[in-house]
């Protein structure tokens, strides 16, 4: 057994419980005013996410872990964990700010020029800016280092050409942090030659093609770049060395509770319908699911503790994402099979049936987005010294 893997047993401190109460009160108020409905995630796709973001920002909950000099609150990753959990469970429409809050902002804090941080970060904190991630390309998803979209040096900046795909919110985002090839890979290092840029999505030469999803939604896009000019100071980090930045960014992307709670609402509804006096087989089924969820949660909280301590838990977060996405992917089917024990004659499963239909159509993506199961297992194997 390796000593390399560490999941310290972290307990959420009392300040987190206070914040949880505050978050629940805020969400209840939002539900009351009709800004979204936790029971209908499909309908929430049409919610006004921009104005929701502004109200979340007024609470100081966007960029809450960031330095105060950029508008942040310097609160802990454990506090952010609690908010992420409550907002995810409620199916709140966080899409306007979530990517910027989770990973684009932290990337800018680490690698952007000071004047860029000062102009962009406070606007994220105020809920004004939406970000998207430009890593995947039509022929390179898992293998980021095969990226072919190019950045060519010109006077005063760079010119981008190529295509990014599966770009979540590409059609509505204000900015992208995108990975472009600035030099060929070398024999010794195939990761060499990639550079990150901050790209204003309104720049001339950027076009977005919709990709429709099987659940009826439209979140992601194919984004093409034709002679797109990006100013020198929008280069993020080091020329040719962005692979390190991109992998750090993925540690943020893979570790949170949003990675196993996307279909949680079907379990919640099932438990409501079953009530305390249900069939013992149903109790056993729910018990198993809750025990697994509890374990995932403890592991995920532990990762929030490591982020708080300034560590980069790449392997541990890959383990949580691998286990978590499989759990949430199987959840709708598990819930459906427990629900078969319920007497359906009085129509009390109608809402659950509708939820299940949506959850089942959404579930296939979980083990692909943010890194596929196979890729995560490769990272875990490397972390264990097996490859
Ligand atoms: C809902 C959703 C949202 C997304 N949002 C974004 C986004 O905002 N920005 C962005 O850049 N990307 C985004 N992606 C893209 C996502 O990160 C990629 O789809 C993913 O990395 C896989 O790439 P691919 O689809 O090209 O598949 P491929 O890389 O072609 O993989 C195909 C299959 O081969 C397997 N495979 C590939 N390489 C290996 C290997 N070395 N060892 C073992 N098996 C391997 C994979 O696991 C997979 O099963 C999103 C994807 C989804 C589903």
């Amino acid at each position: 057994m390796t000593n390399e893997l560490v999941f310290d047993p972290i307990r959420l401190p009392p300040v987190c419980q206070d914040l949880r109460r505050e978050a629940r009160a805020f969400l209840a108020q939002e539900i009351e005013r009709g800004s979204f409905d936790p029971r209908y995630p499909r309908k929430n796709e049409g919610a006004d996410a921009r104005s929701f973001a502004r109200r979340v920002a007024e609470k100081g909950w966007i960029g809450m872990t960031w330095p105060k000099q950029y508008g942040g609150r310097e609160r802990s990753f454990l506090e952010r964990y609690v908010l992420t959990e409550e907002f995810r469970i409620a199916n709140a429409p966080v899409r306007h700010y979530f990517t910027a809050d989770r990973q684009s902002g932290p990337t800018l804090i680490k690698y952007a020029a000071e004047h860029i941080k000062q102009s962009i970060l406070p606007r994220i904190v105020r809920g004004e800016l939406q970000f998207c991630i430009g890593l995947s390309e039509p022929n390179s998803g898992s293998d980021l280092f095969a990226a072919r979209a190019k950045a060519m040096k010109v006077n005063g900046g760079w010119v981008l050409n190529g295509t990014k795909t599966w770009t979540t919110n590409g059609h509505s985002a204000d900015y992208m942090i995108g990975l472009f090839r600035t030099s060929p890979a070398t024999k010794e290092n195939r990761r060499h030659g990639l550079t990150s840029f901050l790209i204003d999505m309104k720049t001339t030469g950027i076009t977005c093609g919709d990709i429709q999803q099987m659940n009826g939604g439209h979140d992601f896009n194919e984004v093409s770049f034709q002679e797109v000019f990006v100013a020198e100071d929008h280069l993020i980090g080091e020329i040719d060395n962005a692979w390190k930045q991109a992998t750090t960014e993925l540690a943020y992307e893979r570790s949170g509770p949003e990675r196993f709670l996307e279909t949680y609402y079907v379990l919640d509804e099932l438990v409501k319908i079953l009530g305390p006096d249900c069939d013992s087989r149903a109790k056993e089924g729910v018990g198993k699911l809750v025990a697994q969820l509890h374990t995932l949660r403890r592991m995920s909280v532990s990762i929030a503790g490591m982020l708080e301590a300034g560590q980069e838990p790449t392997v541990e977060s890959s383990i949580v994402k691998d286990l978590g996405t499989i759990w949430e992917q199987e959840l709708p089917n598990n819930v459906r099979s427990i629900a078969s024990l319920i007497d359906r004659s009085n129509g009390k499963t109608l809402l659950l049936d509708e939820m299940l239909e949506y959850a089942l159509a959404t579930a296939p993506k979980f083990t692909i987005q943010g890194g596929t199961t196979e890729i995560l297992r490769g990272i875990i194997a490397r972390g264990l010294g097996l490859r």
Side-chain angles (χ1 to χ4, degrees):
M1 196 58 191
T2 176
N3 292 326
E4 299 295 317
L5 289 177
V6 181
F7 282 97
D8 289 331
I10 303 274
R11 290 236 166 251
L12 294 173
V15 64
C16 287
Q17 304 314 335
D18 296 342
L19 184 60
R20 190 182 296 284
R21 273 190 290 277
E22 209 187 324
R24 285 186 180 173
F26 170 81
L27 290 167
Q29 223 174 25
E30 287 292 317
I31 294 165
E32 176 91 23
R33 71 187 285 171
S35 56
F36 69 99
D37 186 333
R39 296 168 304 169
Y40 297 102
R42 189 196 297 272
K43 282 190 197 152
N44 292 340
E45 284 172 10
D48 183 353
R50 207 170 262 268
S51 67
F52 181 75
R54 276 200 298 274
R55 292 192 293 278
V56 176
E58 278 163 21
K59 300 289 292 178
W61 289 344
I62 301 180
M64 68 190 291
T65 60
W66 304 353
K68 286 188 178 156
Q69 68 191 104
Y70 305 123
R73 306 284 170 131
E74 298 185 5
R75 295 180 79 168
S76 73
F77 277 91
L78 295 173
E79 288 171 278
R80 184 178 178 276
Y81 183 95
V82 165
L83 283 189
T84 307
E85 192 169 62
E86 290 299 322
F87 278 58
R88 180 62 269 176
I89 284 170
N91 283 322
V94 300
R95 67 182 171 278
H96 185 68
Y97 66 88
F98 196 74
T99 300
D101 178 61
R102 178 177 67 186
Q103 64 199 84
S104 316
T107 298
L108 294 175
I109 289 171
K110 266 197 170 161
Y111 301 108
E114 187 56 35
H115 71 281
I116 296 284
K117 293 193 221 184
Q118 291 195 9
S119 74
I120 300 279
L121 294 169
R123 294 175 65 201
I124 298 178
V125 166
R126 290 197 297 269
E128 292 169 8
L129 296 182
Q130 187 182 48
F131 270 68
C132 64
I133 305 161
L135 297 176
S136 305
E137 295 185 10
N139 293 310
S140 61
S142 302
D143 187 7
L144 287 183
F145 312 122
R148 284 164 51 182
K150 274 199 180 123
M152 268 192 30
K153 187 78 192 79
V154 293
N155 222 350
W158 299 79
V159 170
L160 312 179
N161 279 291
T163 307
K164 295 288 171 184
T165 194
W166 313 124
T167 316
T168 304
N169 296 326
H171 59 300
S172 52
D174 302 285
Y175 284 96
M176 169 189 278
I177 293 186
L179 193 66
F180 287 79
R181 181 155 296 287
T182 37
S183 307
T186 60
K187 237 183 180 175
E188 301 73 40
N189 184 5
R190 64 182 294 272
R191 299 168 164 193
H192 175 84
L194 295 166
T195 304
S196 264
F197 293 91
L198 172 68
I199 304 154
D200 182 337
M201 292 297 281
K202 287 177 207 73
T203 315
T204 310
I206 299 180
T207 44
C208 262
D210 297 358
I211 301 175
Q212 291 301 322
Q213 290 152 222
M214 63 188 270
N215 67 3
H218 163 227
D219 281 342
F220 50 44
N221 308 270
E222 183 157 288
V223 182
S224 45
F225 295 82
Q226 274 188 323
E227 300 293 309
V228 174
F229 178 76
V230 177
E232 188 80 72
D233 61 357
H234 280 50
L235 186 147
I236 306 296
E238 278 179 65
I239 298 175
D240 287 343
N241 266 328
W243 64 271
K244 176 81 181 101
Q245 295 158 223
T247 41
T248 308
E249 189 177 332
L250 288 171
Y252 288 110
E253 188 179 342
R254 288 175 177 160
S255 54
E258 72 275 15
R259 288 301 184 199
F260 51 87
L261 292 173
E262 198 166 334
T263 50
Y264 172 83
Y265 55 93
V266 294
L267 178 60
D268 190 50
E269 178 63 14
L270 174 73
V271 170
K272 279 184 194 140
I273 299 172
L274 288 171
D277 303 318
C278 60
D279 187 296
S280 61
R281 288 165 298 172
K283 282 183 185 162
E284 188 189 333
V286 170
K288 257 190 203 164
L289 292 172
V290 172
Q292 290 159 353
L293 177 58
H294 181 74
T295 310
L296 279 171
R297 184 168 183 267
R298 293 300 301 270
M299 292 169 82
S300 183
V301 170
S302 173
I303 287 175
M306 291 185 234
L307 291 176
E308 181 59 23
Q311 298 162 12
E312 274 177 28
T314 311
V315 177
E316 289 83 352
S317 59
S318 299
I319 292 175
V320 175
K321 184 182 182 285
D322 181 20
L323 294 172
T325 52
I326 288 174
W327 185 84
E328 69 174 354
Q329 191 171 68
E330 288 173 351
L331 185 64
N333 261 327
N334 285 326
V335 164
R336 186 162 61 169
S337 98
I338 299 170
S340 67
L341 299 164
I342 301 168
D343 170 16
R344 307 176 88 79
S345 57
N346 58 9
K348 67 179 172 183
T349 61
L350 284 177
L351 175 59
L352 178 63
D353 291 340
E354 191 177 334
M355 287 175 162
L356 278 173
E357 191 199 332
Y358 184 73
L360 283 163
T362 308
K365 71 173 184 165
F366 300 145
T367 50
I368 305 173
Q369 62 188 8
T372 67
T373 300
E374 291 76 17
I375 292 301
L376 294 168
R377 290 181 185 172
I379 294 169
I380 296 163
R382 195 173 298 115
L384 295 175
L386 299 171
R387 26 184 327 229

